[in-house]
Short mmCIF file of all heavy atoms in Angstrom, two decimals:
data_model
loop_
_atom_site.label_atom_id
_atom_site.label_comp_id
_atom_site.label_asym_id
_atom_site.label_seq_id
_atom_site.Cartn_x
_atom_site.Cartn_y
_atom_site.Cartn_z
N SER A 13 -14.10 5.18 -15.53
CA SER A 13 -12.72 5.66 -15.44
C SER A 13 -11.92 4.77 -14.49
O SER A 13 -12.19 4.71 -13.28
CB SER A 13 -12.68 7.10 -14.93
OG SER A 13 -11.36 7.46 -14.58
N ASN A 16 -10.31 6.94 -11.79
CA ASN A 16 -11.26 7.35 -10.76
C ASN A 16 -11.52 6.21 -9.79
O ASN A 16 -11.51 6.41 -8.57
CB ASN A 16 -12.59 7.80 -11.37
CG ASN A 16 -12.59 9.25 -11.79
OD1 ASN A 16 -11.62 9.98 -11.62
ND2 ASN A 16 -13.70 9.67 -12.39
N PHE A 19 -8.57 5.68 -7.45
CA PHE A 19 -8.47 6.68 -6.39
C PHE A 19 -9.65 6.63 -5.42
O PHE A 19 -9.49 6.88 -4.23
CB PHE A 19 -8.29 8.08 -6.97
CG PHE A 19 -6.94 8.28 -7.59
CD1 PHE A 19 -6.81 8.60 -8.93
CD2 PHE A 19 -5.78 8.12 -6.84
CE1 PHE A 19 -5.55 8.76 -9.51
CE2 PHE A 19 -4.52 8.28 -7.41
CZ PHE A 19 -4.41 8.59 -8.74
N GLY A 21 -11.14 3.89 -4.61
CA GLY A 21 -10.77 2.76 -3.75
C GLY A 21 -9.81 3.20 -2.65
O GLY A 21 -9.91 2.75 -1.51
N LEU A 34 -13.36 -3.74 -1.58
CA LEU A 34 -13.55 -4.97 -2.35
C LEU A 34 -14.45 -4.71 -3.57
O LEU A 34 -14.15 -5.16 -4.68
CB LEU A 34 -14.15 -6.05 -1.46
CG LEU A 34 -14.40 -7.41 -2.12
CD1 LEU A 34 -13.09 -8.03 -2.61
CD2 LEU A 34 -15.09 -8.35 -1.13
N GLY A 37 -12.51 -2.80 -6.15
CA GLY A 37 -11.53 -3.70 -6.75
C GLY A 37 -12.16 -4.61 -7.77
O GLY A 37 -11.64 -4.80 -8.88
N PRO A 45 -9.25 -6.54 -16.43
CA PRO A 45 -8.60 -7.55 -15.58
C PRO A 45 -7.08 -7.44 -15.53
O PRO A 45 -6.46 -7.94 -14.59
CB PRO A 45 -9.02 -8.88 -16.20
CG PRO A 45 -9.89 -8.59 -17.34
CD PRO A 45 -10.02 -7.12 -17.52
N ASP A 66 -5.57 -15.44 0.32
CA ASP A 66 -6.24 -14.80 -0.82
C ASP A 66 -5.60 -13.45 -1.13
O ASP A 66 -5.43 -13.09 -2.30
CB ASP A 66 -7.73 -14.61 -0.53
CG ASP A 66 -8.50 -15.92 -0.47
OD1 ASP A 66 -8.07 -16.90 -1.12
OD2 ASP A 66 -9.51 -15.98 0.25
N SER A 69 -2.32 -14.01 -2.94
CA SER A 69 -2.55 -14.40 -4.34
C SER A 69 -2.85 -13.17 -5.20
O SER A 69 -2.32 -13.04 -6.31
CB SER A 69 -3.71 -15.38 -4.44
OG SER A 69 -3.38 -16.60 -3.85
N GLU A 70 -3.69 -12.28 -4.70
CA GLU A 70 -4.01 -11.06 -5.46
C GLU A 70 -2.77 -10.19 -5.63
O GLU A 70 -2.53 -9.64 -6.71
CB GLU A 70 -5.12 -10.27 -4.77
CG GLU A 70 -6.48 -10.91 -4.87
CD GLU A 70 -7.06 -10.97 -6.29
OE1 GLU A 70 -6.75 -10.08 -7.12
OE2 GLU A 70 -7.83 -11.90 -6.56
N VAL A 75 1.76 -8.04 -9.06
CA VAL A 75 3.18 -7.88 -9.39
C VAL A 75 3.47 -8.43 -10.79
O VAL A 75 4.30 -7.87 -11.51
CB VAL A 75 4.09 -8.53 -8.31
CG1 VAL A 75 5.53 -8.63 -8.78
CG2 VAL A 75 4.00 -7.74 -7.01
N PRO A 79 5.24 -4.90 -12.09
CA PRO A 79 6.28 -5.14 -11.08
C PRO A 79 6.96 -3.85 -10.61
O PRO A 79 8.17 -3.76 -10.57
CB PRO A 79 7.24 -6.08 -11.80
CG PRO A 79 7.11 -5.71 -13.24
CD PRO A 79 5.68 -5.31 -13.43
N CYS A 83 3.44 -2.16 -6.13
CA CYS A 83 2.93 -3.54 -6.09
C CYS A 83 3.87 -4.44 -5.30
O CYS A 83 3.41 -5.28 -4.51
CB CYS A 83 2.73 -4.08 -7.50
SG CYS A 83 1.36 -3.29 -8.38
N LEU A 84 5.17 -4.26 -5.49
CA LEU A 84 6.12 -5.07 -4.73
C LEU A 84 6.02 -4.77 -3.23
O LEU A 84 6.04 -5.69 -2.42
CB LEU A 84 7.55 -4.82 -5.23
CG LEU A 84 7.89 -5.48 -6.56
CD1 LEU A 84 9.18 -4.91 -7.13
CD2 LEU A 84 8.00 -7.00 -6.39
N CYS A 85 5.89 -3.51 -2.89
CA CYS A 85 5.75 -3.15 -1.47
C CYS A 85 4.54 -3.84 -0.86
O CYS A 85 4.63 -4.42 0.23
CB CYS A 85 5.62 -1.63 -1.33
SG CYS A 85 5.12 -1.07 0.30
N GLY A 88 5.31 -7.40 -0.41
CA GLY A 88 6.34 -7.58 0.61
C GLY A 88 5.81 -7.39 2.02
O GLY A 88 6.10 -8.20 2.91
N THR A 90 2.80 -7.73 3.00
CA THR A 90 1.84 -8.79 3.32
C THR A 90 2.59 -10.07 3.70
O THR A 90 2.21 -10.75 4.65
CB THR A 90 0.89 -9.02 2.14
OG1 THR A 90 0.25 -7.78 1.83
CG2 THR A 90 -0.16 -10.05 2.49
N HIS A 108 14.93 -3.04 -4.32
CA HIS A 108 16.22 -2.34 -4.39
C HIS A 108 16.81 -2.35 -5.79
O HIS A 108 17.63 -1.50 -6.12
CB HIS A 108 17.21 -2.96 -3.39
CG HIS A 108 17.00 -2.52 -1.98
ND1 HIS A 108 17.25 -1.24 -1.55
CD2 HIS A 108 16.54 -3.20 -0.90
CE1 HIS A 108 16.97 -1.15 -0.27
NE2 HIS A 108 16.53 -2.32 0.16
N GLY A 129 9.47 -6.24 11.27
CA GLY A 129 9.92 -5.88 12.61
C GLY A 129 11.23 -5.11 12.68
O GLY A 129 11.74 -4.89 13.77
N PHE A 138 11.57 6.11 6.37
CA PHE A 138 10.51 7.11 6.49
C PHE A 138 11.10 8.51 6.59
O PHE A 138 10.59 9.46 6.00
CB PHE A 138 9.60 6.83 7.69
CG PHE A 138 8.81 5.55 7.58
CD1 PHE A 138 8.62 4.74 8.69
CD2 PHE A 138 8.25 5.15 6.37
CE1 PHE A 138 7.89 3.57 8.60
CE2 PHE A 138 7.52 3.97 6.26
CZ PHE A 138 7.33 3.18 7.39
N LYS A 140 13.98 9.50 5.33
CA LYS A 140 14.45 9.85 3.98
C LYS A 140 13.28 10.30 3.11
O LYS A 140 13.39 11.26 2.35
CB LYS A 140 15.14 8.66 3.31
CG LYS A 140 16.54 8.38 3.78
CD LYS A 140 17.09 7.22 2.92
CE LYS A 140 18.18 6.49 3.64
NZ LYS A 140 18.63 5.30 2.90
N MET A 149 4.03 9.45 1.28
CA MET A 149 4.08 9.53 2.75
C MET A 149 2.74 9.98 3.32
O MET A 149 2.42 9.71 4.46
CB MET A 149 5.19 10.47 3.21
CG MET A 149 6.57 9.85 3.16
SD MET A 149 6.72 8.36 4.18
CE MET A 149 6.62 9.04 5.83
N VAL A 152 1.06 6.89 4.63
CA VAL A 152 1.78 5.96 5.51
C VAL A 152 1.02 5.69 6.81
O VAL A 152 1.07 4.59 7.34
CB VAL A 152 3.23 6.44 5.76
CG1 VAL A 152 3.29 7.58 6.76
CG2 VAL A 152 4.11 5.29 6.19
N LYS A 153 0.31 6.67 7.30
CA LYS A 153 -0.44 6.49 8.55
C LYS A 153 -1.41 5.32 8.43
O LYS A 153 -1.63 4.58 9.39
CB LYS A 153 -1.19 7.78 8.89
CG LYS A 153 -2.02 7.69 10.15
CD LYS A 153 -2.71 8.99 10.44
CE LYS A 153 -3.53 8.89 11.70
NZ LYS A 153 -4.20 10.15 12.03
N HIS A 155 -1.06 2.67 6.61
CA HIS A 155 -0.31 1.42 6.66
C HIS A 155 0.04 1.05 8.10
O HIS A 155 0.09 -0.12 8.45
CB HIS A 155 0.97 1.51 5.83
CG HIS A 155 0.74 1.49 4.37
ND1 HIS A 155 0.44 0.34 3.68
CD2 HIS A 155 0.75 2.49 3.46
CE1 HIS A 155 0.27 0.63 2.41
NE2 HIS A 155 0.46 1.93 2.24
N PHE A 156 0.28 2.06 8.93
CA PHE A 156 0.70 1.80 10.30
C PHE A 156 -0.35 1.03 11.08
O PHE A 156 -0.03 0.30 12.00
CB PHE A 156 1.01 3.12 11.02
CG PHE A 156 2.40 3.63 10.80
CD1 PHE A 156 3.03 3.51 9.57
CD2 PHE A 156 3.08 4.24 11.83
CE1 PHE A 156 4.31 3.98 9.37
CE2 PHE A 156 4.37 4.72 11.64
CZ PHE A 156 4.98 4.59 10.41
N PRO A 160 0.70 -3.84 14.73
CA PRO A 160 0.39 -3.62 16.15
C PRO A 160 1.58 -3.00 16.89
O PRO A 160 2.71 -3.41 16.73
CB PRO A 160 0.09 -5.02 16.68
CG PRO A 160 -0.25 -5.83 15.47
CD PRO A 160 0.52 -5.23 14.33
N LEU A 162 3.04 -0.21 16.48
CA LEU A 162 3.82 0.79 15.77
C LEU A 162 3.33 2.21 16.04
O LEU A 162 4.12 3.14 16.15
CB LEU A 162 3.80 0.51 14.26
CG LEU A 162 4.77 1.32 13.41
CD1 LEU A 162 6.21 1.18 13.89
CD2 LEU A 162 4.66 0.91 11.96
N VAL A 177 -0.14 15.49 10.57
CA VAL A 177 -1.36 14.73 10.82
C VAL A 177 -1.41 14.29 12.27
O VAL A 177 -0.37 14.07 12.90
CB VAL A 177 -1.48 13.50 9.89
CG1 VAL A 177 -1.59 13.93 8.44
CG2 VAL A 177 -0.35 12.53 10.07
#
Side-chain angles (χ1 to χ4, degrees):
S13 168
N16 275 358
F19 289 120
L34 181 62
D66 292 332
S69 293
E70 288 293 330
V75 168
C83 290
L84 285 166
C85 168
T90 304
H108 281 291
F138 294 141
K140 283 184 204 174
M149 282 301 291
V152 77
K153 179 179 180 179
H155 287 284
F156 275 38
L162 190 56
V177 296

